Amino acid sequence: MIAKRLFDLFFALIGLLLLLPFFVIISVWIKFDSSGPVFFRQVRVGRNEEPFRIFKFRTMSMDAEAKGPSITVGEDPRITSPGRFLRRHKFDEFPQLLNVLKGEMSLVGPRPEVPKYVELYPERLRKIILSVPPGITDYASIEYKDENEILGKAEDPERAYINEVMPVKLKYYERYVVERSVWIDAKLIFKTFKVLV
């Protein structure tokens, strides 16, 4: 959809320009707090199952992936001091505006998942969900804004994510693909800001 791509480019550029001073402050905070890069780059599955590397502010220690699961829950000791603040307010997601500019993501769409979880998608849903670019926000992001805290209460967080959370999120993803339009995108962006505020 040309209109959707133009919508994404316009608002992603405005967002990056407005957030640039904030990005600089966060980058300095991350670098002073712990060793490692400012950005966390991880392979996610995009449209038509094409892999890409997502941009996020680094919120965990450098060896985090070697010390625990792909999902992060509750008071995970791998999370850094600035990371707790960034995650609480979802600010760690803002660098994904760079992925939007590159055409790898959209402002609104199904959240991009790591390959090992995409492998668990039912075949029918995988074809539908991965037929569109993944997004920074969507229905599931709004409904599961406290996902880390919810999973933190589970006895086995990863199993709870796969068996309880992911199936519900897949239904939200499918709903978005079926309903998607520039109007729906604008509505979901507004709801996202409302939740963050």
Side-chain angles (χ1 to χ4, degrees), residues 46-127:
R47 185 179 186 182
N48 298 324
E49 302 196 38
E50 285 292 322
F52 71 98
R53 296 183 72 204
I54 200 168
F55 282 97
K56 297 180 80 171
F57 280 123
R58 182 174 60 83
T59 60
M60 304 179 79
S61 59
M62 279 300 294
D63 56 355
E65 289 188 292
K67 288 186 173 180
S70 299
I71 57 173
T72 311
V73 298
E75 295 299 315
D76 194 313
R78 297 174 296 169
I79 302 175
T80 62
S81 296
R84 296 193 188 286
F85 173 81
L86 296 173
R87 283 170 173 266
R88 187 181 308 119
H89 299 287
K90 305 297 182 185
F91 293 159
D92 59 317
E93 309 282 357
F94 287 169
Q96 287 162 46
L97 290 169
L98 295 170
N99 292 112
V100 175
L101 287 184
K102 292 176 69 178
E104 298 165 332
M105 291 180 65
S106 175
L107 292 174
V108 183
R111 286 295 295 156
E113 192 59 273
V114 295
K116 77 171 188 175
Y117 292 139
V118 172
E119 287 297 319
L120 301 176
Y121 288 9
E123 185 63 27
R124 182 187 71 83
L125 288 178
R126 183 160 59 182
K127 287 182 179 178

Side-chain angles (χ1 to χ4, degrees), residues 25-44:
I25 294 170
I26 290 176
S27 298
V28 171
W29 189 14
I30 291 172
K31 291 299 288 184
F32 269 92
D33 179 77
S34 61
S35 61
V38 168
F39 293 120
F40 170 68
R41 306 294 309 278
Q42 185 183 51
V43 174
R44 300 290 176 97

